Structure formats: structure tokens, C-alpha cells
Amino acid sequence: MRAVATTDRAGTGPRRAGGASEEAPPAPRRRRPRWPRRPGTRGRLRLLAALALALVAALFAATHLALERARDGLDVIGHGEGRKVVATADLYFALSDMDAQMANVLLLGAEHDLGAGRDAALERYGDRRADANRALLHAAQLAAGDPVEEQNVWAVMDGMNTYERLVAEARLLNDADDDPAGPPSQDVIERYREAADLMRRDLLPKAYNLTLDSGATVRSTYEENSAAATAGIGLVAAAAAALVAVLVVLQLFLRRRFRRRHNIPLALATAGVLVLGLAAVAMLQRQSELLRSAKEDGLESVLALSRARAISTGMNADQSRWLMDPEHAATYEQNFLEDAQTVVFLVPEDGDVPGNLRGYTTEVTAAVPRHDDYPGRMLGLLGEEIATGGGEAETRAQQRTLRTFAAFLRADERMRDIAREGDTAAAVDAHITGPDSVEAVFADYEEALIDLTDLHLTTFDSSVDQAEDHLAGWNAGVIAACGAFALLIAAGVRPRLAEYR
Amino acid sequence: MRLRHLACAAVLAVALPACAVTAGEHASILDAQTLRIGVKGDQPGLGLRTGVDTYAGFDVDVAYYIAGELGVAREDVEFVQVTSEEREDVLIDDEVDLVLATYSITQLRKTVVNFGGPYYVARQDILVRADNTDIQGVEDLAGRKLCQGAGSNSANRIIEERGIDAQRVERATYSECIDLLAVGVVDAVSTDDLILAGYLAEAPSAFRLVGEPFTSEKYGIGVAKEDVAGCEAVNRAVTQMYQDGTASRLLDKWFGDTGLDLVRTVPQFEGCG
């Protein structure tokens, strides 16, 4: 800033007599100031006015920048990556359900009127394939620019083609057999086993990892954003505080040097800056809070529950495989238990984690009435959601989900008991037909899980909407307010400067 | 003077939130120039101490690969021998940066550490003497002597959870179990197939893997609980390791001759955080 090198001309400038303050000019008897470049009253007035105007510009820049950052954060989490991550989470479910439906199609053989039936399973298979393709498209967009992830997307696409070829062959063989419901012929089983292995060993892990990686992208974007937002709030607060201080100094300076009690425009500007500064900081903090809620209470729960749904679908498929392929039944049962424990993992108070399916089913059933005060630890994708709790609607939805999950496990136990007694046809029946069948109970559980997911999706949407509403009008407001501050400062200082003309 | 105070206040106001941000961060393996990696020292094929500070095995090679992907050169990797019981503590106490020590991911362990990977999903299998043809599956263990290492749950899984009436023999380590198996004191040893394959690779003609796997043991890479970004980077490294064929090559190098059914596609990750 330019220092104005003018000396005081005694009598021409209104000066308080006997100024003893720090800013006091040199003693009147001294003809030349000791420090020739030290500015005089006019110079200081100009300097302070210029400083105030510069700080108005700084306040404008800081607020504008913080608003832009808040808007970027909302765009990425609320509309861009966040949305796509939700879409990729569907990929795993779609693939997993394709496989579950195909297992049903093969198990049902030529019987067209059992339960939901073969045609319904085929139709659902087609829908899921379309979902999978759509989700892959989103995953490809999210992976763009990351060669490792791009290759992963390609591998899933290739794998899907191979899988479809294998199940098409299995179906052709199965149709040629024209068997009634029950385990299909060995050829069909072998072809399907190959397809199911590809799905389980290769495709599903890759699909799951894609979802995890896009979740990681959202997390790192969010963290960068929230660090930047905190720094932005600090800058706005600092600029506003500095401006208020300079305006107060200016006010005091005018009072001393020009014997003015109040300078109305400057007082207005000071009040305005205080209001804008406080409002901006409060609004930006609210933005961070809403974005955090959108991510933690919304997106992260949606992702965890989508994974729980996808894994549950895999459990459902493992039941069909268990019935269809007795030779590998032990493996499918173990897969079922491990998947169930990924969804809800219970550590009873005595620390004795149930190690087999029967013990696990008993423990989950026992936990249902005590979902909010389970004496041990409730872990796993759904378990942690339940343990975290939430609002009234969420708690109720969580309780319903756990209750239907337990019912699904008990229906599974009944089906396995029937099959173990040697009556495969009755077991297939218990699996597929009637209101108490595994399929019907699973549908209840799935619906509860979807409703719970939707609650979190609503939290996500409403947080993003609220944050957007809060931002509306701020750009114009900040321009108008800062313009007004500049004009008020000019209006407050100009008449005093004019006294020197 | 007043202006100077104001300037100080302004600097403080700007700097404080910035300080608050840096204070919350834990040292991430992403910024590491050197890495301390916990491995087993007594597990042939996986982590075996071969000299004063040298180790060899599948876990060790995977550790070198991940370190490389994290930008740490081979010579800047320091291996630390850990026992099964120590694995959580060394991560929590920041004595090591990573743990690759046949470290199965469990829901309980996930509450105290982060797991990158799994880099391989091992399954529980059964090892018998090569001349034993009677044992073809887990059901054939009824009435047989089954050895398990101390602190392991493998025999309980068969006897209690599967309800198979085998006779449990317990020894301090699996190496001792293998010695008992070789001399015929026990009939079978059951634990993770990779561990069994490691022993088998040392004496291919003495033993036979039954090859009827049950249960999944997801071998994870232990990372500090706070280091979510580091854990995600480890996952990217594991993905890369499978994509560029290194994983397949390493599996062949250590277990190729054992007849084990090796899975050469990337496992389903556990997720960080």
C-alpha cells in the first residue's frame, strides 16, 4: 500500500488538540516530522479506507470461494460420484440375483406351475441382466482414468458373457431332459457348477471390489472437501473479523481527528459485516454438517445395506445349489453360513460365537426381541446398522429387517431338515411353495431390507436438498452485501477527505 | 499496533482450523518411506525365517509387492516376526505398519484393525500321510487322531461343529503336529490349505492333501484402524497384483507342486474403515 508522504498543515486539518494517542502526529513545534514518510491525517484516512476496501474484497473472495467449494462438494457427493456409487452397488446384487434365478430355473426343470414358477424366474433373470448392464455403465464412468479399475470393469463384462454362455448351455441340456422338479441331470449340474463357480469366484468379487473402490473415491473426495471447507470457514471468519476491526479503527480515528461522534455509514457497514460474517460462517458450518449427514447417515448406510442385500441374494442362491447339488452340499451350506455372518454377526455375552448354521439360527432368533439392547455385540453389514440405531422410523425398520432375517433362517432350517430326511421333492416344495416357504419368507426379508435402505436414501436426498436450499441466493447476496459495504465505506470517508480539498 | 494485533488474530483464525485438520490425521502408510511388516517366522511356504533378518514365503513376496506398489523399495522393507497372538497389538501399538501373517479376517478383529485384501482365501483342508488312502473327506476322520496347534480352532470345527467323532490331539505348533503325522502318532492334521500346502511342499512324497475344503479363511493385510486411505491403497495394490499375473506366479512358486486347487482370481475384498 502506498504511503502518502504529506506533512500536516497546522490548522487546515481538523485535529484534536494535544493528541497523546499513539497515532498522534509529531509535536506541533517540530517543523519537520522526524519520520518524513509517516503519513498525515489525510494519508492515514486514505490508508485506512483503502485497507477497509481491500478487506471487503477479501471478504467477498473468501465467501465466494467457500460457497463454490460447498457447491462442488454437494455436486460430487449429492449428484455425481455419490449417485453412481449407489448405482454400482446394484451391480453385485444384479449379478447375484441373476445366478439365484438361474439356479431356480434349473431346479424347477420342466415344472411350470411351482410357486413363482420357472417363467417368472426367467423374467426376473432378464431384468437383472439389464440392471447389471446399467450398473456396469456407471461403474465404467466412475473408473474412467484409473487403469486398474477400468480393467476390472472390462473383466466383469467379459465374465458376464462367459457366464451367459455357460448357463445357456445348461438350460439347453435341462430343457432336453424334460425332468420334473428336483436335482437336474449330471450334465446340467456340471455345466451350471462351472457357471456358478465363475460367478462366485470371479465375477461377484470383482463387482464387489468395484463398489468398494467407488466408495473409496467418495470417501477421499469427501475428506478433501471437508478439510477445504473447514479452511474456507476460517478464511471467511478471519476476513470478516479483520474488516470489522478496521472499520472500528476507522470510526475511532474519525471521531478523534474530525470530532464526529458517529459516522452512520461506517456504523452501518460494521453492523452489516458482522451480520454477513456470522451468517456466512453459520451457513457454511451447516453445509458441512448436512454433507456429513448425507454421507454418513445416508450414503454409507445405503452402501452397507445394498451389500447386505446382494450377499443375502447369494445366500438364497446357495440354498438352491444345496438342494440341486448334494455332492457339494457341505460347501454350499458353509458358504450360506459365512454369508449370513457377513450380514449379521453375533458375539454372545459369553463370547462363544456359534460355529454352525443351527447354532447361528438359534442365536439370531434369540436376538430379535432384544435388537436394541442385545447383551453381546452385533456386527456385520446389517448388524452394525442395527447396533447404531437411528430415528424412530429407522429403528422400527431395523427391527422388522432383523425379524424377517431370523424368519428366513428358520425357514431355511426347516427346509434342510426335510431334505436331510431324504424327501427332496418335499424340500424343494418347502423351498418354493406357499406362504411359509423359504422364497416367500426371503421376499419379506428382502422387502424389509429395501425399505430400510430407502429410509437412508431419503436421508441422503433430503440432506442434499436442504443443503442446496441453504445455498440458494447466497451468490447474489454476497455480491450485493459486499458492494453495499464498499459504498458505505466510501460514503463514510468521502466527506472527510473532501475537507482537505 | 492495533492493526498488527488484528493481523495476528487473522492469522490465528486462519491457522487454527488448519492445525485442527492436521492434528486429526494419523501417519498413513501412504506417506511412508520405509515399511515395517509383521510376518510369521515358522510357517514354511508362507513366512519362514531364513537368516538373521531374512524371511521367505508367499506372505513375504506379497508384502514386497505391496510395498513396491506403495512406493517403498525392497531394501526399505523391514520384516518383524510376529506370533498369531501378537498380530492386533503390534498394529495398535504402531510397532509395525502392515501385517501379512496368515492373518484371517474376522468380524471381531475388524473392530480393532483395518484389513486390506484378502489377498487369498484359504480353506480348511486335511493333510494325511501319503500312504493313507482311507481318509477322503472330513467324514472319514471319525475315530481318527486329529492334531491341532494351540490356540487354533480347526479340530473343534470338525468335532463340535460338524459333529464328527475324531480324537483331538493338541500340540504347541502345527510344525509339531506335522512331525507327529510323519511318524504315525496322529492320522491327520487339519488347518488352512495354504499352511498344509507349505508343509507338503517341504516333503511332497510324505504327505497328501485330501482336497475336500470347507470354511473360508480370508487372509487379510492388517493396517492400523485409523489408516483408511492406506487400507484402500493396499486393496488397489492387491487388485494390480492379480491383474498383472504376479499373484498367479507367486502361488505357483510356493504351492504349484502341491496339487492344491489354487484360485487365481482376485478375492472379494473386505472393505476398509
Side-chain angles (χ1 to χ4, degrees):
Chain A
M1 213 164 291
R2 193 166 60 97
V4 188
T6 45
T7 51
D8 264 334
R9 280 167 292 171
T12 53
R15 191 206 307 158
R16 207 174 68 173
S21 82
E22 296 161 35
E23 286 111 342
R29 262 187 293 166
R30 198 167 299 200
R31 282 176 68 194
R32 274 198 302 166
R34 201 178 351 186
W35 178 28
R37 295 189 68 83
R38 194 177 165 101
T41 300
R42 190 173 71 156
R44 271 188 231 168
L45 184 55
R46 277 189 176 167
L47 194 70
L48 279 169
L51 187 61
L53 288 174
L55 281 170
V56 169
L59 176 64
F60 172 75
T63 317
H64 187 74
L65 211 71
L67 284 171
E68 284 307 302
R69 263 184 201 145
R71 217 163 262 133
D72 285 352
L74 262 184
D75 276 349
V76 174
I77 308 283
H79 300 287
E81 288 177 359
R83 285 268 161 219
K84 284 183 190 158
V85 167
V86 173
T88 50
D90 290 343
L91 174 63
Y92 187 102
F93 165 71
L95 289 173
S96 180
D97 199 32
M98 272 169 74
D99 198 39
Q101 296 312 319
M102 190 45 66
N104 281 341
V105 168
L106 296 175
L107 190 61
L108 286 170
E111 290 206 21
H112 289 242
D113 33 293
L114 265 178
R118 185 176 184 268
D119 294 339
L122 266 181
E123 196 184 316
R124 186 158 158 168
Y125 176 86
D127 290 347
R128 291 296 169 258
R129 189 176 48 192
D131 290 347
N133 282 329
R134 221 181 349 262
L136 268 174
L137 192 69
H138 285 297
Q141 287 167 349
L142 274 176
D146 180 343
V148 176
E149 286 312 308
E150 276 179 344
Q151 200 180 325
N152 223 353
V153 175
W154 281 112
V156 175
M157 287 180 179
D158 282 349
M160 249 180 90
N161 288 334
T162 314
Y163 175 83
E164 291 226 89
R165 185 175 53 72
L166 289 169
V167 294
E169 287 171 14
R171 272 185 57 203
L172 277 176
L173 287 169
N174 198 36
D175 286 354
D177 286 350
D178 210 25
D179 278 342
S185 72
Q186 200 54 38
D187 281 353
V188 176
I189 290 179
E190 269 167 24
R191 206 57 54 93
Y192 174 69
R193 203 184 277 158
E194 206 182 324
D197 273 354
L198 174 73
M199 183 60 90
R200 200 176 167 102
R201 274 187 167 190
D202 193 0
L203 284 183
L204 288 178
K206 285 192 174 116
Y208 195 82
N209 295 356
L210 273 179
T211 318
L212 285 179
D213 201 74
S214 23
T217 312
V218 167
R219 188 198 56 78
S220 66
T221 310
Y222 171 80
E223 267 168 24
E224 276 164 29
N225 214 286
S226 91
T230 312
I233 292 174
L235 277 178
V236 171
L243 182 50
V244 165
V246 168
L247 287 174
V248 168
V249 169
L250 192 53
Q251 182 81 262
L252 292 174
F253 180 77
L254 287 178
R255 186 188 287 189
R256 275 188 206 144
R257 291 301 165 84
F258 296 88
R259 299 203 187 89
R260 303 276 166 162
R261 198 164 264 235
H262 302 295
N263 185 315
I264 305 291
L266 284 185
L268 283 177
T270 313
V273 172
L274 264 177
V275 170
L276 176 78
L278 288 176
V281 166
M283 190 275 290
L284 289 169
Q285 268 168 352
R286 181 93 186 106
Q287 286 287 320
S288 303
E289 177 52 31
L290 283 169
L291 202 60
R292 189 205 57 76
S293 155
K295 177 187 164 265
E296 284 174 17
D297 308 331
L299 202 54
E300 284 177 358
S301 292
V302 169
L303 286 179
L305 293 169
S306 303
R307 285 179 204 137
R309 183 185 176 200
I311 287 171
S312 304
T313 313
M315 290 166 64
N316 192 216
D318 272 329
Q319 292 173 317
S320 300
R321 292 186 198 116
W322 184 84
L323 280 173
M324 191 202 307
D325 187 359
E327 203 183 310
H328 285 55
T331 305
Y332 290 131
E333 186 172 322
Q334 182 64 30
N335 287 348
F336 182 90
L337 173 63
E338 282 167 12
D339 279 351
Q341 286 177 324
T342 310
V343 177
V344 176
F345 187 84
L346 295 176
V347 188
E349 237 175 341
D350 58 10
D352 194 8
V353 177
N356 58 24
L357 192 49
R358 195 172 293 276
Y360 174 76
T361 302
T362 308
E363 188 63 32
V364 172
T365 305
V368 173
R370 314 195 59 181
H371 75 284
D372 48 3
D373 68 335
Y374 179 68
R377 300 180 71 177
M378 201 179 271
L379 302 170
L381 291 167
L382 174 63
E384 274 161 50
E385 288 291 321
I386 294 172
T388 310
E392 198 189 326
E394 276 160 19
T395 316
R396 223 177 315 119
Q398 286 162 356
Q399 186 180 16
R400 181 178 148 223
T401 313
L402 185 64
R403 197 177 55 235
T404 49
F405 180 67
F408 169 58
L409 291 174
R410 282 196 305 276
D412 172 81
E413 196 168 73
R414 277 198 301 279
M415 176 199 80
R416 287 181 207 269
D417 285 345
I418 295 172
R420 279 197 192 95
E421 283 163 17
D423 192 346
T424 312
V428 172
D429 211 39
H431 181 50
I432 284 166
T433 321
D436 294 330
S437 68
V438 172
E439 287 299 310
V441 183
F442 180 74
D444 286 346
Y445 161 58
E446 200 177 26
E447 195 187 293
L449 199 51
I450 291 171
D451 286 349
L452 180 58
T453 315
D454 282 348
L455 275 181
H456 287 283
L457 210 51
T458 310
T459 307
F460 175 70
D461 284 335
S462 73
S463 298
V464 170
D465 286 350
Q466 266 189 58
E468 271 168 356
D469 286 349
H470 283 304
L471 273 176
W474 266 88
N475 265 10
V478 169
I479 292 176
C482 289
F485 299 154
L487 287 176
L488 284 170
I489 291 166
V493 173
R494 221 179 102 90
R496 301 288 83 74
L497 278 174
E499 288 180 29
Y500 286 93
R501 292 225 173 93
Chain B
M1 271 306 244
R2 246 172 254 186
L3 284 179
R4 209 177 301 157
H5 281 307
L6 278 178
C8 286
V11 165
L12 270 180
V14 176
L16 269 179
C19 298
V21 168
T22 39
E25 279 172 14
H26 195 265
S28 170
I29 50 168
L30 290 177
D31 311 320
Q33 306 297 313
T34 60
L35 281 176
R36 299 156 301 164
I37 303 181
V39 292
K40 285 282 184 74
D42 55 359
Q43 216 51 259
L46 287 150
L48 190 66
R49 192 172 194 149
T50 51
V52 180
D53 274 324
T54 53
Y55 294 81
F58 180 66
D59 282 353
V60 174
D61 284 346
V62 172
Y64 274 131
Y65 184 91
I66 287 164
E69 288 294 308
L70 292 172
V72 175
R74 256 181 111 82
E75 57 271 22
D76 294 325
V77 174
E78 181 203 335
F79 286 109
V80 179
Q81 186 171 342
V82 294
T83 64
S84 293
E85 294 75 33
E86 291 170 339
R87 292 177 295 195
E88 278 91 21
D89 291 343
V90 289
L91 279 171
I92 294 166
D93 301 342
D94 198 25
E95 285 167 30
V96 300
D97 302 300
L98 294 173
V99 169
L100 282 101
T102 63
Y103 197 11
S104 292
I105 302 173
T106 66
Q107 296 280 349
L108 272 180
R109 286 174 182 161
K110 267 171 71 180
T111 61
V112 287
V113 299
N114 253 313
F115 280 105
Y119 54 96
Y120 195 80
V121 180
R123 317 209 71 180
Q124 187 172 346
D125 208 334
I126 303 160
L127 193 72
V128 295
R129 276 182 304 281
D131 55 13
N132 180 326
T133 51
D134 300 342
I135 301 175
Q136 294 297 337
V138 66
E139 285 78 14
D140 302 328
L141 289 174
R144 306 294 185 124
K145 282 186 184 152
L146 177 65
C147 187
Q148 84 171 3
S152 168
N153 200 31
S154 61
N156 301 346
R157 277 200 180 124
I158 292 170
I159 297 165
E160 278 144 37
E161 292 166 15
R162 289 237 162 183
I164 291 160
D165 186 25
Q167 237 181 299
R168 179 180 14 222
V169 176
E170 195 157 299
R171 284 292 177 272
T173 65
Y174 272 104
S175 297
E176 288 176 41
C177 281
I178 297 295
D179 293 342
L180 293 186
L181 179 65
V183 296
V185 175
V186 298
D187 301 301
V189 177
S190 178
T191 184
D192 306 354
D193 54 7
L194 277 198
I195 294 180
L196 295 177
Y199 289 117
L200 179 60
E202 287 194 323
S205 56
F207 306 114
R208 176 175 68 87
L209 260 178
V210 171
E212 274 290 302
F214 49 100
T215 78
S216 307
E217 299 300 332
K218 298 177 274 188
Y219 282 3
I221 298 152
V223 184
K225 186 75 184 153
E226 303 81 21
D227 196 4
V228 178
C231 171
E232 286 164 359
V234 166
N235 278 349
R236 274 192 290 281
V238 175
T239 307
Q240 174 86 41
M241 180 175 79
Y242 275 88
Q243 279 179 2
D244 68 13
T246 305
S248 186
R249 192 169 52 73
L250 292 178
L251 284 167
D252 275 337
K253 173 181 169 188
W254 294 102
F255 312 108
D257 300 331
T258 60
L260 185 66
D261 178 22
L262 296 164
V263 180
R264 294 163 198 277
T265 53
V266 68
Q268 181 164 313
F269 293 155
E270 199 60 32
C272 303

